[in-house]
């Protein structure tokens, strides 16, 4: 989590905010952490493990879909957005991210209750 919050900023310092590398690295690290979390099972109660996995899955999905949004908003990849991802614009990809986030939050609330 420390890596995702601060150390990823040191990747490609000059042009990092306009490139995909940070998002790809964050996606890979988050997915690896999710895999380690499911294999290690650090929580005694299964509900806690389930919520931690859902939260990390949501984080991984947000990073991956952030890559999609970045790809779709770039003028250089304008035609690739529809071809690779299936969205017409970055707005459609952003709406999908919001819908996925809402669905994951509702799922989390249903598990807690």
């Amino acid at each position: 989590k420390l890596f995702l919050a601060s150390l990823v900023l040191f990747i490609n310092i000059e042009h990092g905010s306009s490139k995909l590398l940070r998002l790809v690295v964050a996606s890979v690290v988050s997915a690896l952490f999710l895999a380690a979390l499911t294999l290690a099972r650090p929580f005694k109660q299964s509900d806690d493990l389930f919520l931690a996995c859902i939260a990390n899955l949501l984080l991984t999905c947000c990073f991956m879909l952030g890559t999609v949004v970045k790809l779709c908003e770039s003028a250089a990849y304008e035609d690739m957005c529809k071809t690779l991802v299936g969205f017409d614009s970055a707005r459609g990809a952003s709406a999908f991210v919001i819908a996925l986030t809402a669905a994951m939050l509702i799922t989390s609330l249903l598990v807690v209750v």
Side-chain angles (χ1 to χ4, degrees), residues 15 24 44 52 68 81 100 102:
H15 304 288
V24 170
K44 288 183 180 181
V68 169
C81 182
L100 180 68

Side-chain angles (χ1 to χ4, degrees), residues 20-47:
L20 288 174
L21 182 62
R22 285 184 183 174
L23 283 170
V24 170
V25 169
S27 298
V28 169
V29 169
S30 184
L32 289 174
F33 183 76
L34 177 62
L37 183 67
T38 56
L39 291 174
R41 297 184 168 270
F43 300 104
K44 288 183 180 181
Q45 294 185 6
S46 62
D47 289 345

Side-chain angles (χ1 to χ4, degrees), residues 20-94:
L20 288 174
L21 182 62
R22 285 184 183 174
L23 283 170
V24 170
V25 169
S27 298
V28 169
V29 169
S30 184
L32 289 174
F33 183 76
L34 177 62
L37 183 67
T38 56
L39 291 174
R41 297 184 168 270
F43 300 104
K44 288 183 180 181
Q45 294 185 6
S46 62
D47 289 345
D48 293 338
L49 178 64
F50 187 68
L51 283 174
C53 288
I54 285 179
N56 209 323
L57 180 64
L58 177 62
L59 184 64
T60 303
C61 287
C62 285
F63 283 133
M64 289 182 181
L65 291 171
T67 305
V68 169
V69 170
K70 193 74 165 169
L71 181 74
C72 288
E73 77 179 2
S74 175
Y77 302 113
E78 191 172 319
D79 296 333
M80 299 298 269
C81 182
K82 180 69 173 170
T83 305
L84 292 176
V85 185
F87 294 110
D88 293 327
S89 65
R91 185 176 176 92
S94 298

